[in-house]
Amino acid sequence: MSQKKYSVVIVGFGGMGHYHSTLIKKNDSLEVTGVYDVKQERLDYGKELGYQTYSDLAAVLADSAVDVVLIATPNDVHKEIAIAALEAGKHVICEKPVTLSSEDFIEIEEVAKKTKQVFMTHQNRRWDEDFLIVKEMYDQQLIGDIFQIESRVHGANGIPGDWRHEAAHGGGMLLDWGVHLLDQMLYMVDSKISSVSAQLSFILGDEVDDGFVSTLQFENGVTAIVEVGTTNYISLPRWYVKGTEGTALIEDWSMNGKIVKRNHEAEKVEPKPIQAGVGLTKTMAPPSEEATVVESLPKPQQNAQSFYDNFASVIEGEAEAIVKNAEVLRNLRLIEAVFEAARTNTTITDFDY
Ligand code: NAD
């Protein structure tokens, strides 16, 4: 637990900025003291909630009582705010996607190193229960060696809001949900990626992608399919995972799901053919009840600290960052490879170094 409560000013007090303020209230290491937004109505709302408000970013950065700047603006302005805050001697939490390119992120990293301030990206979905369940199955080999992981989020509401429709603001679903799902995959599978292929979808006619499907091939043999859709009136399950000993399914955010494993105790019986369409099949006949065992999803290991506590511990030199800058950079390179694979309709290699 951190020694002091660090004072935080939220820059960009929209949907996510406000959400941070509610989460930080439940936390002992950080305290939101102020907000800044380019929109007067959001400043007024901040004031109503009892926060100090600032007339511009320079005023936030000039305030010596502020320890941490938390950036929750649209994606295209993360970089300039982050660099200005670091140079003013503030620690920085930045929303995802941290920047629109890996080169931009390297610039931020260099300033963070030079100014010796802590910079962390809010890859909060490393704390999601559904993800931690899959990570637990992967780490503990609960369905044997996992060799295929399918991770999907499907909605039917299109691209939300205003700036998410525009390329100039870093809109589109790959930079929105994609950045989370790809980060989870990289955090879980401890192996380099040898190749990536992908398609982006533009069903809604926006200039940015309204979804995508990507296939990552890891050097250790794992294949990952990562998909985001906003035009799915029927959703596929959140996770479908195959291992050498069984298959796991997580349906939804309520953790409905199960593991079905091979029953080693059962006598091996030849499957009986079933009618399938106009043909017969033994290959696709479901396994007999005795041949499998059904288990509930495991209770996952939690991360050692919450995101905010970890951030404070990193400032105090007491813990390593759970979201490391090198991992964030690797994820940006992967996102660039996904864009490139889709644009050129080719398989991209040699980007994961
Ligand atoms: P939003 O549009 O609701 O809020 C953005 C706010 O930033 C607006 O109030 C806008 O007026 C303000 N703003 C714009 N430019 C600014 C500037 N230069 N300086 C100060 N304020 C400025 O958007 P949102 O959904 O809250 O998304 C904000 C960020 O949070 C994005 O980077 C997004 O990807 C991220 N986000 C993360 C998660 C997560 O789970 N980690 C979830 C949602 C959004």
Side-chain angles (χ1 to χ4, degrees):
M1 170 99 105
S2 93
Q3 301 302 304
K4 68 172 247 187
K5 262 198 169 183
Y6 292 92
S7 136
V8 179
V9 168
I10 298 177
V11 173
F13 197 54
M16 195 59 197
H18 179 259
Y19 188 54
H20 273 289
S21 71
T22 60
L23 292 180
I24 291 175
K25 273 211 179 100
K26 300 178 197 150
N27 165 279
D28 292 328
S29 332
L30 309 179
E31 181 182 13
V32 177
T33 52
V35 301
Y36 166 61
D37 198 291
V38 286
K39 281 193 194 137
Q40 187 58 43
E41 72 216 47
R42 299 306 294 173
L43 284 178
D44 293 344
Y45 183 47
K47 198 174 261 173
E48 222 176 273
L49 295 175
Y51 298 120
Q52 182 174 347
T53 55
Y54 295 84
S55 54
D56 54 24
L57 181 65
V60 177
L61 302 186
D63 184 347
S64 60
V66 177
D67 302 309
V68 178
V69 168
L70 189 159
I71 305 169
T73 61
N75 304 332
D76 55 316
V77 287
H78 289 177
K79 176 184 163 186
E80 65 193 58
I81 299 170
I83 289 179
L86 291 166
E87 283 179 340
K90 310 297 182 195
H91 301 293
V92 174
I93 294 173
C94 186
E95 262 309 334
K96 47 50 63 175
V98 61
T99 50
L100 304 187
S101 74
S102 54
E103 276 175 19
D104 283 353
F105 183 61
I106 290 169
E107 279 183 51
I108 295 181
E109 260 194 306
E110 280 167 3
V111 179
K113 272 185 205 144
K114 189 183 77 193
T115 57
K116 299 195 170 53
Q117 300 303 304
V118 174
F119 182 91
M120 255 168 86
T121 306
H122 191 235
Q123 290 296 161
N124 51 325
R125 293 194 175 278
R126 292 186 183 191
W127 279 260
D128 279 0
E129 191 180 0
D130 59 291
F131 164 65
L132 291 172
I133 288 172
V134 176
K135 188 170 184 304
E136 182 83 5
M137 292 193 282
Y138 187 88
D139 291 344
Q140 305 300 327
Q141 297 182 300
L142 298 184
I143 52 171
D145 276 336
I146 286 176
F147 57 88
Q148 185 168 321
I149 309 172
E150 302 186 14
S151 167
R152 295 186 172 84
V153 289
H154 282 168
N157 300 314
I159 300 174
D162 43 16
W163 60 266
R164 280 181 174 78
H165 292 262
E166 292 172 29
H169 291 300
M173 284 297 118
L174 177 52
L175 286 174
D176 196 56
W177 267 96
V179 76
H180 284 302
L181 303 194
L182 294 168
D183 176 69
Q184 290 178 333
M185 212 53 89
L186 293 180
Y187 188 51
M188 173 164 52
V189 181
D190 183 19
S191 175
K192 280 205 183 313
I193 298 176
S194 49
S195 68
V196 166
S197 58
Q199 287 86 39
L200 303 183
S201 68
F202 295 89
I203 310 298
L204 299 169
D206 284 274
E207 63 184 23
V208 294
D209 66 284
D210 49 50
F212 69 93
V213 184
S214 62
T215 304
L216 325 180
Q217 188 57 57
F218 287 88
E219 281 180 0
N220 69 356
V222 172
T223 303
I225 297 169
V226 176
E227 182 181 341
V228 174
T230 56
T231 55
N232 302 66
Y233 290 87
I234 298 173
S235 300
L236 286 175
R238 173 72 187 86
W239 295 91
Y240 176 72
V241 187
K242 284 165 67 177
T244 47
E245 293 293 321
T247 305
L249 187 77
I250 304 181
E251 299 272 2
D252 50 29
W253 305 112
S254 305
M255 302 312 122
N256 291 307
K258 62 183 174 186
I259 289 177
V260 180
K261 280 162 85 168
R262 184 172 0 159
N263 182 2
H264 284 285
E265 312 291 299
E267 228 177 277
K268 194 160 170 35
V269 278
E270 194 57 17
K272 293 198 178 64
I274 57 159
Q275 184 78 35
V278 293
L280 277 187
T281 179
K282 262 201 299 194
T283 321
M284 298 305 161
S288 69
E289 237 175 74
E290 307 80 65
T292 56
V293 275
V294 180
E295 293 177 3
S296 332
L297 297 170
K299 286 267 162 286
Q301 182 86 31
Q302 300 297 325
N303 287 312
Q305 291 181 296
S306 73
F307 178 87
Y308 303 117
D309 284 344
N310 181 239
F311 181 76
S313 299
V314 175
I315 293 177
E316 284 163 16
E318 285 177 356
E320 264 197 295
I322 294 176
V323 182
K324 296 182 179 51
N325 288 333
E327 296 165 346
V328 172
L329 177 60
R330 187 178 174 221
N331 193 23
L332 285 172
R333 290 199 173 117
L334 170 57
I335 286 166
E336 286 167 343
V338 171
F339 274 124
E340 181 68 0
R343 191 183 64 79
T344 57
N345 196 21
T346 58
T347 297
I348 305 297
T349 56
D350 297 328
F351 64 89
D352 192 15
Y353 49 87

